[in-house]
Amino acid sequence: MDSISPIGLEKITTIPNALILTYLFTGLKALGNCQLPPLLQTLKTTNWIKFQEILHYNMPGNPTIDNLDQAVQNFSNIVSDAINTCTSTRISKTSHLRLPINIRELIKTKNRFRKLWNNTRYPLYKREVNALVRQIRNEINEHKNRTWKNLLSSLNVDDNSLYNLHKRITKKYTVIPFLYGPSGMAFSDFEKAEAFKDTLEVTFQENSEPYSDDKIEEVESLVNHYFDNFNTLTPPLTSPLEVRGIIKKLTNRKSPGPDQIPNIALKYLPINAISHLTKIYNRCLINCHFPTQWKIANVVMLPKPNQDHKFSQNYRPISLLNTTAKIFERIILNRIKTHCKAIDCIPPEQCGFREGHSTLHQLIRVTNIINEGFASKLYTVGVFLDVKRAFDKMWHDGLTYKMIKLKFPAYLIKIIYTTEPSGFV
């Protein structure tokens, strides 16, 4: 495409900020000749019907589980082997462009005349091949222009399509330079991984200065006494219906964890595989056990914006967990929500991590308080606290102490208490 005219934006009449369009066209100029969709080197196709057939015959619906960790490993192995068996890979050296039927027919005709020319060397066939090549090239260029204009015409700010396109065009891929880590400079990939590991090890530590030794002693004493005399009843088990419902809500475009099982593969699990997975989850609930394999994550380090990327502390980690582990976490979360609702322990002012609540509710609440102060001719004072690395430095004994005081079910307390995640950078 030689140029991009603004004709494709005629229908975009509701954009409140013209600066967004300026950014968009700036990115388009930087692109030069645009080709959509982008170049793909490796194309993978999975036959999901065959995948379901393999699991139907190779995975028992009611397995005998003697070792939970081994059962989790066996399930992952069977699913991974089925995916590998049903996936075909081919290398493409050209742009992956979905052409309409008329262009594909022209290509078939051109290939037919080219074969006749190679066999006969008849000049008329050669002229026909050259004419078809020119026609196909023109048709493809028109198709690209038409596709691009249709895409621009469909952009709007309501569904974030304009923002997503701008982000896609202007996205910059950062190459990690040499790093200054806790142990010195790092140049190779291995040294960089070690530098990130040392940084994370320093980050994920409890606070070194306790606020109250007496309180810490009280907490540790109660937690130790609780588990020394641990006793629990049979927990409420999950069902294939609950597991299937959680799987249906998974997003397909999510990176898999260490087992490399994508979310879409779990959505194609047959009923016997769902029953198999459900029995593993129920055994985890009964044994109050979080399998070791589910505690392992692939940690990806992303550079923080507007920071010096030569220092390892200016990267933030993202942990890629196995989806089967996240499903079990969702099962546990559902039971935590049920207990919290039963004892009404969450204050109405709490909006974070609550379904149906957001920052908007807090803004409305603060606005109402300020207006009430104005109406009563009183000052309104706000104190905002930002706890640095609150999640990274979570006091696990303190969390367990609070769960015991709030009379959470014993199986939930033990599962959460014994969960110690680990990861690979």
Side-chain angles (χ1 to χ4, degrees), residues 106-124:
L106 286 174
I107 294 175
K108 290 180 181 180
T109 305
K110 183 260 297 181
N111 292 338
R112 189 162 56 249
F113 276 104
R114 187 185 295 276
K115 186 175 182 180
L116 290 172
W117 155 251
N118 291 333
N119 293 334
T120 64
R121 294 294 172 176
Y122 185 51
L124 183 60

Side-chain angles (χ1 to χ4, degrees), residues 224-425:
N224 292 334
H225 180 268
Y226 181 84
F227 287 111
D228 289 341
N229 302 275
F230 182 79
N231 188 23
T232 182
L233 302 175
T234 302
L237 303 180
T238 185
S239 65
L241 183 63
E242 182 182 12
V243 174
R244 173 70 80 177
I246 296 173
I247 291 176
K248 284 184 177 180
K249 294 180 181 179
L250 296 175
T251 304
N252 290 344
R253 296 179 60 85
K254 289 289 185 179
S255 299
D259 61 5
Q260 294 301 307
I261 298 177
N263 291 353
I264 190 172
L266 297 177
K267 292 186 177 182
Y268 278 99
L269 291 179
I271 186 61
N272 60 300
I274 295 292
S275 300
H276 187 116
L277 189 58
T278 302
K279 187 166 185 180
I280 292 177
Y281 290 146
N282 284 332
R283 184 57 63 88
C284 291
L285 292 173
I286 294 172
N287 294 356
C288 304
H289 179 69
F290 200 95
T292 304
Q293 185 184 1
W294 290 350
K295 300 177 184 180
I296 300 174
N298 290 335
V299 180
V300 180
M301 305 300 294
L302 300 180
K304 296 179 181 179
N306 304 321
Q307 300 287 335
D308 189 350
H309 298 153
K310 294 179 181 178
F311 297 94
S312 57
Q313 64 267 25
N314 292 333
Y315 292 77
R316 61 183 180 90
I318 290 182
S319 297
L320 303 180
L321 294 164
N322 293 337
T323 305
T324 47
K326 291 190 280 189
I327 295 173
F328 186 53
E329 290 176 352
R330 176 61 61 175
I331 292 172
I332 295 174
L333 178 61
N334 291 340
R335 283 143 182 77
I336 291 176
K337 287 181 177 179
T338 301
H339 182 76
C340 291
K341 185 176 181 180
I343 65 175
D344 194 23
C345 65
I346 300 179
E349 296 83 9
Q350 173 69 31
C351 288
F353 304 101
R354 290 185 65 189
E355 186 176 358
H357 295 72
S358 66
T359 308
L360 180 62
H361 294 83
Q362 290 287 39
L363 291 174
I364 294 175
R365 175 172 166 267
V366 171
T367 303
N368 290 337
I369 293 175
I370 295 174
N371 288 333
E372 290 174 1
F374 281 142
S376 303
K377 297 183 178 180
L378 298 174
Y379 291 103
T380 301
V381 180
V383 179
F384 299 89
L385 301 178
D386 183 11
V387 182
K388 183 179 181 181
R389 294 176 176 172
F391 178 80
D392 301 343
K393 297 183 178 293
M394 167 61 67
W395 184 25
H396 291 276
D397 282 347
L399 175 63
T400 305
Y401 174 85
K402 288 187 176 181
M403 294 183 71
I404 295 173
K405 286 294 186 179
L406 292 173
K407 294 181 171 43
F408 271 81
Y411 74 97
L412 289 177
I413 296 176
K414 187 170 183 180
I415 290 175
I416 295 175
Y417 181 76
T418 56
T419 302
E420 296 179 358
S422 55
F424 296 103
V425 181

